[in-house]
Amino acid sequence: MNPLTNHKPRKIVEPRWMRYTLIGLVLVFLAVMLLIPLISIFIEALRQGVDLYIAALTEPDALSAIKLTLLTAAIVVPVNAVIGIAIAWLLSRYDFRGKQLFTTLLDLPFAVSPVVAGLMFVLLFGAHSVLGAWLESHHIQIIFAVPGIVLATLFVTFPFVAREIMPLMQSQGDQEEQAALILGASAWQMFWRVTLPNIKWALLYGLILTNARAMGEFGAVSVVSGHIRGLTNTVPLHVEILYNEYNFVGAFAAASLLAFLALFTLILQHVLAYLQVRKNHLKVSDE
């Protein structure tokens, strides 16, 4: 027996000092860029007591901003779910001319600055445009109103669901769906009983990211909102106004809501990932 062919390859192990150095650099970076700023938001928000913190969140302008943010997310998330599933289905199940261009355009909200996106809607629906003048003549207001905020938020968030679902649908293929149709299932039965259960985890990830981005969006919403207190200010815009007015307690109190949303999003993603891994392990063990 040739000893060279029986020789097992040795594992490449980096020096211990290099491993600890890299771990230390990562921990320092995370602490400086993420943990310390996040903790400081809650410290500043509660610096003058819980009573002022609660008062800052329950004053009329803050409540209006919170309600508008929740309303925007409540509209954007379901619409994105439908649009995202439709786009993912189209791009993963059909071949057509211009498919690559369509796929590229799907990433346009990631490439375009949110401020530019908001400006596009102002140019499209503003009073000085043909469409905007027609809408104004029919007493329909898009810009500087809730519809404009919803449209701008839809633009910056619609790729999340599709981008989460598409790789999964492409890897799974359509064999199960074709089998369901051959066995006599209708299109809706196939979708509800085959497609949706297969993509539910990716769909949940996409919806969580969409909700977080919708509630935290600033640039596009800032352009189309008009910053009207009590009417078109979302929580991020409310934070900016209070901070510019040196109302630091109110600004950090409102910012803490967004920080809590970020933490809740991360925890929810971790829980969903754990449940998915656990389900896959149980499925493999049953087989």
Side-chain angles (χ1 to χ4, degrees):
M1 182 181 294
N2 190 344
L4 295 177
T5 60
N6 195 35
H7 179 70
K8 295 182 179 180
R10 297 176 58 187
K11 293 182 178 180
I12 299 177
V13 180
E14 70 278 1
R16 182 174 298 180
W17 66 267
M18 181 181 295
R19 189 189 327 166
Y20 289 143
T21 300
L22 292 176
I23 293 174
L25 289 175
V26 171
L27 291 177
V28 170
F29 178 82
L30 291 177
V32 173
M33 299 300 297
L34 298 177
L35 293 180
I36 294 177
L38 190 62
I39 294 173
S40 65
I41 290 176
F42 291 97
I43 292 176
E44 291 295 329
L46 297 169
R47 181 182 294 276
Q48 299 187 26
V50 178
D51 292 338
L52 286 179
Y53 176 81
I54 296 175
L57 294 179
T58 55
E59 58 98 9
D61 288 342
L63 290 177
S64 175
I66 293 172
K67 290 178 182 178
L68 180 56
T69 302
L70 295 176
L71 175 63
T72 302
I75 297 173
V76 167
V77 172
V79 173
N80 265 322
V82 176
I83 294 177
I85 293 174
I87 293 175
W89 185 287
L90 174 66
L91 296 179
S92 62
R93 294 292 184 262
Y94 299 100
D95 290 323
F96 54 91
R97 182 175 298 179
K99 178 179 178 179
Q100 187 59 45
L101 175 62
F102 195 93
T103 305
T104 302
L105 291 176
L106 182 60
D107 293 328
L108 185 63
F110 294 145
V112 175
S113 168
V115 175
V116 175
L119 184 59
M120 290 190 302
F121 285 105
V122 171
L123 295 176
L124 181 62
F125 297 108
H128 298 289
S129 67
V130 176
L131 181 58
W134 182 86
L135 291 172
E136 187 175 355
S137 66
H138 289 77
H139 306 288
I140 301 174
Q141 187 173 1
I142 303 296
I143 303 302
F144 307 145
V146 175
I149 295 174
V150 172
L151 287 175
T153 307
L154 274 173
F155 178 85
V156 299
T157 58
F158 84 84
F160 287 104
V161 173
R163 276 302 179 190
E164 288 291 332
I165 297 176
M166 279 177 53
L168 182 61
M169 294 185 70
Q170 290 170 347
S171 64
Q172 289 177 343
D174 62 348
Q175 291 83 1
E176 294 183 13
E177 296 164 353
Q178 293 295 336
L181 293 175
I182 292 173
L183 292 174
S186 65
W188 279 110
Q189 288 174 329
M190 177 200 68
F191 175 76
W192 287 108
R193 298 184 180 182
V194 178
T195 305
L196 190 59
N198 287 339
I199 66 172
K200 64 180 180 181
W201 295 110
L203 177 60
L204 285 174
Y205 290 149
L207 293 180
I208 290 172
L209 293 175
T210 300
N211 184 69
R213 178 65 185 272
M215 289 190 176
E217 174 56 30
F218 177 83
V221 173
S222 177
V223 176
V224 301
S225 69
H227 294 265
I228 305 173
R229 279 191 167 183
L231 293 177
T232 62
N233 272 343
T234 59
V235 174
L237 303 183
H238 184 65
V239 171
E240 182 200 27
I241 289 176
L242 293 180
Y243 189 82
N244 290 336
E245 293 177 348
Y246 303 100
N247 184 355
F248 298 121
V249 173
F252 282 106
S256 68
L257 290 180
L258 298 177
F260 176 78
L261 172 65
L263 293 174
F264 178 76
T265 301
L266 292 176
I267 294 173
L268 190 57
Q269 280 186 303
H270 180 74
V271 171
L272 290 176
Y274 170 77
L275 293 176
Q276 184 179 11
V277 171
R278 183 179 179 183
K279 181 180 179 180
N280 292 336
H281 286 169
L282 292 175
K283 185 177 180 180
V284 171
S285 62
D286 291 339
E287 294 176 355

